[in-house]
């Protein structure tokens, strides 16, 4: 049974990567393949529909750059094509957004479309009946072009409840200028990463920026280490699912010890435990940190003219380094589909909401715009336009070059209680100096009591 | 007029709206909270089942985070009573002696932290205590005390004391205001009489000021304990109970359990115990500080 599941997953992953790879290969120099941006809603332009206001709740408060801009552009396009529709957007940054969405769920607030985080968070919404089931068959084909296997975090009990907006994967962004100016080698192994960290610290530069206050990045970093040691994308996911144990497994212990080395050599910035997402990004984009451990959705940094030009011209992507003696390759990618959109059950305008939802998720709207603006890597097949930034090309190469993917981030593959307890375990580990064995014991307890 | 007061219907009509309001805003939420605390609800709206006292048993006997949060609240309460209040009394006495425009000026300055938004306070102290760029660590460096530098809010050995400092600082103005007002109510002739009898300086205030302020002190101690137990916003915005629970407080823990960890039933059990603890704290602080108020 397990073997079948793994085989199925591997087939899906290979197919997905092959599809992206083929498109990448043929898209680069052939303008004829570029989509003209035609609207799938052209036929309704003349209809005399009644006035409708839709409510969208989003975790993208910055509407002038990055994904927020892409989302806003989709909305503007929709409003242009549907003059009878107004869209009322409410936005909050990451953690406040999550908490407020739960509060909305509790009061059955009449939203129409909401951003959702797949996995544990979406599962709670599903159990409350707050989000609608979707018919996967409707989203097959060329209107949407979703890659195979991207619904994993949005599917519960074989039913689909949301659509992914991006291909999310962890990388290390780095500032090439800081490496060059200080004569420091760009690391390809974990030992080299730690060594680079020491060298930067000796020069008064923060080696790597981390959103430690949010805690989830530690779990991703740990998962990356587990994969580098074992080459097994399922090990940590199985431990969360209680098919394996965190305690008593030498691979987890080895990974925890490597994590302790990062802590003890001060790889992360001094303020890492109190730095939230924005603070950690700011440290990197202002040239005070040489690296930033974050996901692929920050491709927009290279084209964001609010950031220093020096930085924009030097931001690059590093694959998570291999561990000496480990079985994992740097092409074993911690990739998943974390964020997406769902239709809300308590919507007052369900038909209009679905129309907007389908429009937003079509291949020539969110997916195309988010790629063309350089904001992120979509979860749908996209064609290289030839105008990509260097950062986007590198990110594409990381994705298409992946020899395996996780499919899910372990932290989000259990219950919200597991996530909360596991994050707390990492918090204690990094700020209180607990031992690798204690970290594993805490993770084991978190898995067992979820 | 006597007829109105004898009329039961009139009494009922006048009292009913208040009771209704009290019931809807206080009693009903508590009853609902108690109801949820006996269920395994993930979030309101999700299916749940009756689980008896399982939530309470887990909380009281297996949840070290709950007890840590409670301990931190007690420490904060003690910090208010033993650090904030003595300083506030001292400053109130100094203010009272100033007189004139200077008194008004300093009174305003000392109260500023209480009118600043909690968000501003949180971000300000995050910046001041930043390990790399913060003014406090830079000051230590310039004084040649670089070895004392810490990631004050990010190191679990220093995070709690840093948080307590912020909270004591932020609430100082309220305490000062109450003590200042209380001080203004003490007649000057008592001080004159005591001075004639040879009392001066510390003895003067220990014998005259403190006893006569005891009603204010009593109220302030009660408020301090309740405020400590209820602490939420500042902690939530600076450390969110971290790192690793070192600055965990009951209300932050409750909030995160309810909304981040999706353990709504469990969070309601925390809130019921929270109410019980607050009532006990109120009762005990009133009991311990009760004494015949000094007459003059």
């Amino acid at each position: 049974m397990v073997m079948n599941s793994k085989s199925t997953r591997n087939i899906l992953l290979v197919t997905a990567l092959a599809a992206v790879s083929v498109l990448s290969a043929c898209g680069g120099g052939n303008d004829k393949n570029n989509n003209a941006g035609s609207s799938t809603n052209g036929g309704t332009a003349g209809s005399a529909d009644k006035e409708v206001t839709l409510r969208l709740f989003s975790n993208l408060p910055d509407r002038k750059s990055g994904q927020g801009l892409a989302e806003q552009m989709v909305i503007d396009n929709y409003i242009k094509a549907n003059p009878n529709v107004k869209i009322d957007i409410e936005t909050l940054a990451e953690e406040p957004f999550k908490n407020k969405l739960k509060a909305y769920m509790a009061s059955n607030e009449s939203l129409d479309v909401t951003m959702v985080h797949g996995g544990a968070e979406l599962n709670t919404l599903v159990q409350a009946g707050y989000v609608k089931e979707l018919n996967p068959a409707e989203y097959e084909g060329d209107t949407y072009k979703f890659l195979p296997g991207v619904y994993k975090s949005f599917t519960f009990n074989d039913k689909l409840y949301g659509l992914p907006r991006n291909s999310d994967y962890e990388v290390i962004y780095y500032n090439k200028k800081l490496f060059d100016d200080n004569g420091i080698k760009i690391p390809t192994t974990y030992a080299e990463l730690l060594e680079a960290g020491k060298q930067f610290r000796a020069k008064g530069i923060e080696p790597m920026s981390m959103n430690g206050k949010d805690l989830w990045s530690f779990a991703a970093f740990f998962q990356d280490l587990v994969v580098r040691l074992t080459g097994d994308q399922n090990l940590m996911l199985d431990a969360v699912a209680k098919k394996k144990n965190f305690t008593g497994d030498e691979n987890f212990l080895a990974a925890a010890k490597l994590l302790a080395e990062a802590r003890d050599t001060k790889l992360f910035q001094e303020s890492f435990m109190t730095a939230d997402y924005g603070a950690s990004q700011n440290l990197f984009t202002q040239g005070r940190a040489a690296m930033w451990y974050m996901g692929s959705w920050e491709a927009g940094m290279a084209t964001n003219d609010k950031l220093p030009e020096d930085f924009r011209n030097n931001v690059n992507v590093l694959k998570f380094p291999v561990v000496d003696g480990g079985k994992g390759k740097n092409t074993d990618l911690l990739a998943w589909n974390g964020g997406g959109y769902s239709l809300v059950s308590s919507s007052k305008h369900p038909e209009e909401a679905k129309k907007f939802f389908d429009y937003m998720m079509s291949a020539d709207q969110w997916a195309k715009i988010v790629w063309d603006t350089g904001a992120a890597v979509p979860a749908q097949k996209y064609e290289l336009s030839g105008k990509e930034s260097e950062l986007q090309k590198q990110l594409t190469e990381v994705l298409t070059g992946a020899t395996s993917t996780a499919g899910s981030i372990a932290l989000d593959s259990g219950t919200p209680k597991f996530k909360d307890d596991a994050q707390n375990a990492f918090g204690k580990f990094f700020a209180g100096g607990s031992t690798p064995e204690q970290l594993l014991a805490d993770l084991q307890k978190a898995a067992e009591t979820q | 007029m006597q007829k109105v007061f004898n009329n039961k219907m009139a009494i009922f009509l006048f009292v009913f709206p208040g009771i209704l309001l009290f019931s809807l805003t206080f009693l009903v939420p508590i009853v609902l909270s108690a109801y949820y605390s006996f269920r395994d609800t993930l979030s309101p709206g999700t299916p749940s089942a009756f689980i008896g006292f399982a939530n309470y048993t887990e909380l009281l006997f297996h949840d070290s985070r709950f007890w840590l949060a409670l301990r931190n609240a007690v420490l904060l309460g003690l910090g208010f009573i033993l650090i904030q209040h003595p300083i506030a009394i001292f400053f109130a006495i100094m203010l009272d002696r100033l007189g004139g425009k200077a008194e008004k000026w300093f009174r305003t300055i000392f109260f500023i932290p209480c009118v600043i938004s909690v968000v501003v306070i949180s971000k300000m102290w995050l910046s001041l205590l930043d390990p790399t760029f913060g003014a406090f660590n830079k000051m230590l460096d310039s004084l040649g005390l670089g070895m004392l530098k810490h990631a004050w809010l990010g190191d679990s050995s220093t995070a709690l004391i840093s948080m307590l400092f912020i909270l004591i600082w932020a609430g100082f103005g309220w305490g000062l205001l109450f003590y200042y007002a209380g001080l203004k109510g003490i007649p000057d002739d008592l001080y004159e009489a005591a001075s004639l009898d040879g009392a001066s300086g510390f003895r003067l205030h220990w014998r005259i000021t403190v006893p006569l302020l005891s009603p204010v002190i009593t109220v302030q101690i009660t408020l301090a304990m309740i405020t400590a137990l209820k602490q939420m916003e500042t902690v939530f915005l600076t450390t969110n109970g971290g790192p690793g629970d070192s600055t965990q407080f009951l209300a932050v823990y409750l909030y995160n359990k309810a909304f981040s960890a999706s353990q709504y039933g469990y969070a309601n059990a925390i809130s019921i115990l929270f109410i019980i603890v607050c009532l006990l704290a109120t009762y005990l602080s009133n009991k311990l500080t009760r004494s015949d108020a000094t007459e003059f």
Side-chain angles (χ1 to χ4, degrees):
Chain A
M1 204 62 187
V2 171
M3 181 52 67
N4 286 343
S5 177
K6 281 187 186 180
S7 299
T8 301
R9 182 188 290 180
N10 287 338
I11 291 170
L12 286 175
L13 296 175
V14 171
T15 305
L17 295 168
V20 174
S21 188
V22 168
L23 284 173
S24 301
C26 70
N30 192 341
D31 287 340
K32 284 185 290 183
N33 286 343
N34 286 339
N35 193 308
S38 62
S39 168
T40 59
N41 281 273
T44 67
S47 65
D49 295 293
K50 60 175 182 176
E51 287 284 332
V52 170
T53 299
L54 299 177
R55 294 181 63 197
L56 168 67
F57 189 36
S58 168
N59 73 331
L60 301 167
D62 177 6
R63 312 302 285 178
K64 298 292 173 51
S65 65
Q67 294 182 79
L69 172 62
E71 189 180 75
Q72 189 61 48
M73 288 169 69
V74 172
I75 289 165
D76 292 344
N77 289 346
Y78 187 75
I79 289 173
K80 205 171 298 176
N82 298 271
N84 63 304
V85 176
K86 292 175 186 169
I87 298 182
D88 188 2
I89 307 154
E90 180 183 1
T91 67
L92 283 170
E94 190 76 349
E95 295 301 320
F97 166 85
K98 289 177 179 177
N99 290 340
K100 190 164 189 186
L101 182 56
K102 291 273 186 54
Y104 274 162
M105 182 195 79
S107 57
N108 207 33
E109 180 81 8
S110 299
L111 301 174
D112 293 290
V113 177
T114 181
M115 185 272 169
V116 291
H117 291 85
E121 313 254 343
L122 177 55
N123 194 13
T124 302
L125 301 176
V126 168
Q127 293 184 63
Y130 190 60
V131 290
K132 286 183 169 178
E133 186 186 345
L134 303 172
N135 179 3
E138 284 188 49
Y139 300 99
E140 291 167 8
D142 283 346
T143 303
Y144 300 97
K145 297 182 184 174
F146 280 104
L147 299 167
V150 296
Y151 295 158
K152 180 181 171 68
S153 295
F154 301 86
T155 302
F156 305 93
N157 300 318
D158 295 321
K159 295 176 182 175
L160 181 67
Y161 290 96
L163 295 178
R165 67 184 180 192
N166 298 337
S167 294
D168 296 327
Y169 45 102
E170 288 290 329
V171 294
I172 296 175
Y173 294 99
Y174 71 97
N175 187 324
K176 188 172 183 296
K177 184 171 191 296
L178 288 179
F179 277 85
D180 291 348
D181 287 357
N182 292 281
I184 294 173
K185 179 186 190 297
I186 294 164
T188 56
T189 69
Y190 192 68
E192 287 175 356
L193 179 67
L194 297 180
E195 179 57 31
K198 290 173 191 168
Q199 291 174 23
F200 275 118
R201 191 155 288 290
K203 293 176 182 289
I205 297 170
E206 304 281 19
M208 181 180 280
S209 193
M210 190 73 137
N211 58 324
K213 184 186 176 186
D214 298 333
L215 296 165
W216 62 265
S217 289
F218 293 134
F221 199 95
F222 181 68
Q223 189 173 349
D224 252 327
L225 287 171
V226 170
V227 172
R228 288 292 177 268
L229 281 165
T230 65
D232 184 352
Q233 294 278 20
N234 294 316
L235 182 61
M236 190 159 166
L237 297 172
D238 287 344
V240 175
K242 293 186 269 196
K243 299 172 184 171
K244 300 272 175 58
N245 285 336
F246 284 101
T247 48
D249 187 307
E250 62 180 11
N251 293 306
F252 285 123
L253 183 56
K257 287 178 175 173
L258 290 174
L259 200 63
E261 284 185 52
R263 174 191 68 189
D264 298 336
T265 60
K266 292 182 181 261
L267 176 65
F268 307 127
Q269 83 271 31
E270 290 276 3
S271 63
F272 74 115
M273 286 309 298
T274 53
D276 60 13
Y277 192 106
S280 69
Q281 180 172 24
N282 192 59
L283 201 65
F284 178 60
T285 59
Q286 298 304 311
R288 295 169 173 169
M291 295 175 276
W292 188 34
Y293 183 70
M294 193 42 72
S296 54
W297 53 83
E298 288 295 350
M301 287 190 290
T303 53
N304 183 348
D305 58 18
K306 293 204 298 277
L307 300 178
E309 184 174 359
D310 215 16
F311 168 82
R312 274 183 284 141
N313 292 338
N314 285 283
V315 59
N316 283 286
V317 170
L318 198 55
K319 298 187 185 83
F320 195 87
V322 296
V323 169
D324 294 322
K327 300 191 183 76
K329 299 183 282 290
N330 67 1
T331 51
D332 293 323
L333 193 63
L334 178 50
W336 71 98
N337 304 95
Y341 295 99
S342 289
L343 287 166
V344 177
S345 301
S346 58
S347 168
K348 290 175 177 169
H349 311 287
E351 296 83 13
E352 282 293 341
K354 181 153 195 312
K355 200 168 135 190
F356 168 63
F357 179 83
D358 290 348
Y359 179 92
M360 178 160 60
M361 299 314 303
S362 59
D364 62 350
Q365 288 302 319
W366 171 264
K368 177 174 170 57
I369 291 172
V370 84
W371 179 253
D372 285 353
T373 57
V377 182
Q380 292 146 282
K381 296 174 189 174
Y382 56 90
E383 298 167 356
L384 295 181
S385 64
K387 289 181 281 185
E388 282 77 22
S389 67
E390 186 60 31
L391 189 60
Q392 280 180 286
K393 290 174 185 170
Q394 291 176 33
L395 284 167
T396 299
E397 192 271 329
V398 171
L399 179 62
T400 60
T403 48
S404 76
T405 62
S408 178
I409 190 170
L411 188 71
D412 279 316
S413 63
T415 63
K417 180 179 187 300
F418 168 78
K419 179 175 183 177
D420 191 62
D421 289 344
Q423 289 183 161
N424 186 253
F426 283 109
K428 284 195 284 187
F429 181 77
F430 276 100
S434 60
T435 65
E437 289 82 0
Q438 184 61 50
L439 171 64
L440 297 182
D442 288 342
L443 292 176
Q444 181 66 24
K445 184 182 176 189
E448 285 172 353
T449 60
Q450 65 179 305
Chain B
M1 183 60 79
Q2 194 63 29
K3 271 190 158 188
V4 174
F5 287 125
N6 285 332
N7 188 326
K8 287 190 168 59
M9 181 56 63
I11 294 172
F12 174 77
L13 284 177
F14 282 118
V15 173
F16 178 70
I19 292 181
L20 183 64
L21 191 63
F22 177 77
S23 298
L24 289 179
T25 62
F26 188 74
L27 291 182
V28 168
I30 288 183
V31 170
L32 274 178
S33 192
Y35 166 80
Y36 278 116
S37 72
F38 291 114
R39 305 186 73 83
D40 61 358
T41 313
L42 296 180
S43 285
T46 59
S48 66
F50 178 77
I51 53 172
F53 283 93
N55 281 334
Y56 291 99
T57 304
E58 175 69 21
L59 250 182
L60 292 170
F61 298 107
H62 300 108
D63 191 347
S64 60
R65 298 175 77 187
F66 170 76
W67 290 106
L68 180 62
L70 193 55
R71 183 206 73 168
N72 288 348
V74 171
L75 287 177
L76 179 59
L78 291 176
F80 282 149
I81 294 167
L82 300 179
I83 297 173
Q84 187 191 74
H85 290 184
I87 294 173
I89 292 175
F90 176 78
F91 272 78
I93 290 169
M94 291 297 105
L95 273 184
D96 189 43
R97 286 184 165 190
L98 270 178
K101 287 185 178 177
E103 182 172 329
K104 290 192 174 74
W105 180 251
F106 279 106
R107 189 175 65 202
T108 303
I109 288 176
F110 290 141
F111 199 66
I112 286 173
C114 294
V115 296
I116 297 176
S117 155
V118 170
V119 177
V120 174
I121 289 173
S122 303
K123 295 304 179 185
M124 183 184 84
W125 281 103
L126 271 171
S127 294
L128 285 171
L129 297 177
D130 185 277
T132 308
F133 309 107
F136 189 60
N137 272 5
K138 284 187 183 298
M139 183 188 73
L140 289 178
D141 253 340
S142 66
L143 293 176
L145 299 170
M147 78 288 299
L148 295 182
K149 294 195 301 183
H150 276 95
W152 297 101
L153 289 168
D155 182 334
S156 61
S157 65
T158 59
L160 180 60
I161 195 164
S162 303
M163 183 57 65
L164 294 180
F165 174 82
I166 294 169
L167 293 169
I168 288 169
W169 172 86
F172 174 79
W174 283 112
L176 175 70
L177 197 68
F178 275 101
Y179 286 123
Y180 177 74
L183 213 53
K184 283 301 190 184
I186 299 175
D188 283 343
D189 51 9
L190 293 187
Y191 291 110
E192 290 164 8
S195 291
L196 287 177
D197 288 341
S200 65
F202 179 77
R203 260 184 98 235
L204 181 67
H205 292 299
W206 186 250
R207 291 295 187 183
I208 301 295
T209 307
V210 172
L212 291 177
L213 276 180
S214 61
V216 179
I217 294 174
T218 301
V219 170
Q220 281 298 96
I221 287 173
T222 303
L223 288 177
M225 290 311 298
I226 301 304
T227 301
L229 286 162
K230 283 169 42 179
Q231 172 50 229
M232 165 70 179
E233 321 84 73
T234 309
V235 172
F236 185 79
L237 288 165
T238 50
T239 59
N240 197 22
D245 278 342
S246 56
T247 63
Q248 195 64 271
F249 281 82
L250 275 178
V252 179
Y253 185 53
L254 190 163
Y255 181 87
N256 283 328
K257 275 295 182 187
F259 296 113
S260 292
S262 288
Q263 289 183 272
Y264 196 74
Y266 193 75
N268 276 281
I270 298 173
S271 74
I272 295 295
L273 289 183
F274 190 22
I275 291 168
I276 293 171
V277 170
C278 283
L279 291 176
L280 279 177
T282 303
Y283 174 78
L284 286 177
S285 63
N286 275 297
K287 188 88 171 179
L288 292 175
T289 56
R290 185 166 309 285
S291 62
D292 294 322
T294 306
E295 297 291 336
F296 59 89

